[in-house]
Amino acid sequence: MKKEAPEIDNFETQEHEWAVDMSEEAVKARQAQLPGEFKAKLNMGDDEDEDGEAGGSTVYDEFGTWIQDEASSKGSIDKVDSIDIFVKAKELGIETKHRAVLVLVQTIFDENIVAQIPKRAGMMKQFITSDRHEKALLGGTERLIGQLGKDHPDIYNQIVKILQLYYNHDLLSEEVAIKWGSKASKKYTDLSTSKKVRKAAEPFIKWLEEASEEESSEDEE
């Protein structure tokens, strides 16, 4: 049985305040409000691998640019509706792609990420459906932290809380988190930033490892 990560620095997740209806009915209702040409695009699939030519980086660029433009027009990324973001991803045919998760993390979160994760968790669950998606979540977070750290160096102090929230909202499994924490990588950011992020994450990774060992011991009894 999965154990809840301990509350750190008395940070409490008020999930009920951020409830978002991401049901199929809600998404269909929002789709019905779109112009006809957009509704037609929503049913277009992409059977090609997302690293192939069918999707191309321009699709993800378009997704990211759309989110940023919406945030600018509404005055804040927090005012962009989660269902609208998901519907846009479906319109572009990338709602199942791990690259979409990379784009999301870097566009819907900013220096207020700790407060933003609970609000977006319901939507993020629609995108994160495999270990590969979870790795993209962590990779995108590394890249985001690296960028934010230039102007907000204290963001590294938030990493344990960020990972705790991912875990408690079922966006991140302990297996993926532990493996990620074991070795720095330059896949998503420079090696120095990757090492710094993992160093800051050590208390959470250690807690996961101890919880996993404890669970294994209980199973053996």
Side-chain angles (χ1 to χ4, degrees):
M1 181 180 295
K2 173 181 172 179
K3 295 187 177 182
E4 283 287 304
E7 295 297 343
I8 300 170
D9 294 338
N10 296 320
F11 178 80
E12 296 183 358
T13 302
Q14 302 296 334
E15 186 171 10
H16 64 279
E17 295 179 2
W18 302 105
V20 177
D21 186 1
M22 289 299 299
S23 65
E24 183 177 355
E25 291 76 12
V27 172
K28 285 182 177 179
R30 189 58 57 92
Q31 290 175 0
Q33 299 171 11
L34 295 173
E37 65 270 21
F38 284 166
K39 284 188 283 187
K41 290 181 181 179
L42 290 174
N43 296 319
M44 292 177 62
D46 176 11
D47 295 330
E48 296 290 330
D49 183 84
E50 61 189 295
D51 293 322
E53 295 180 358
S57 62
T58 56
V59 178
Y60 302 99
D61 289 340
E62 182 178 346
F63 185 42
T65 298
W66 179 86
I67 294 174
Q68 292 173 333
D69 288 346
E70 285 292 295
S72 295
S73 66
K74 295 178 183 297
S76 168
I77 184 58
D78 296 326
K79 294 181 180 179
V80 181
D81 196 292
S82 289
I83 294 182
D84 287 339
I85 294 173
F86 184 67
V87 167
K88 183 64 178 181
K90 285 181 68 68
E91 173 196 325
L92 296 173
I94 59 173
E95 78 278 11
T96 63
K97 308 296 188 179
H98 79 273
R99 279 191 189 176
V101 178
L102 277 171
V103 174
L104 278 174
V105 174
Q106 297 173 83
T107 53
I108 66 174
F109 297 142
D110 55 27
E111 66 272 15
N112 300 309
I113 183 172
V114 169
Q116 293 165 330
I117 292 172
K119 178 181 178 181
R120 301 297 189 183
M123 175 191 67
M124 295 294 286
K125 285 180 183 179
Q126 306 300 312
F127 287 90
I128 301 173
T129 57
S130 72
D131 288 359
R132 193 179 191 189
H133 291 83
E134 291 182 26
K135 291 174 184 177
L137 172 69
L138 291 171
T141 302
E142 280 187 68
R143 191 177 294 174
L144 176 69
I145 294 298
Q147 290 297 317
L148 291 175
K150 296 175 182 178
D151 296 320
H152 306 276
D154 60 334
I155 193 69
Y156 286 91
N157 298 330
Q158 304 292 312
I159 291 174
V160 168
K161 290 182 180 179
I162 291 168
L163 296 177
Q164 172 199 355
L165 286 167
Y166 285 162
Y167 181 75
N168 284 346
H169 284 285
D170 295 322
L171 301 174
L172 177 65
S173 65
E174 64 181 60
E175 293 82 6
V176 171
I178 290 173
K179 186 174 181 180
W180 168 84
S182 66
K183 185 178 181 181
S185 169
K186 57 183 180 180
K187 182 175 182 178
Y188 297 105
T189 186
D190 62 272
L191 197 57
S192 175
T193 297
S194 183
K195 288 180 178 179
K196 191 173 181 180
V197 169
R198 283 167 175 75
K199 180 67 176 178
E202 282 182 355
F204 180 73
I205 300 301
K206 182 179 180 180
W207 177 84
L208 282 181
E209 291 173 337
E210 291 176 348
S212 179
E213 291 173 1
E214 181 181 330
E215 187 174 319
S216 296
S217 297
E218 291 175 353
D219 291 341
E220 292 174 359
E221 292 179 358

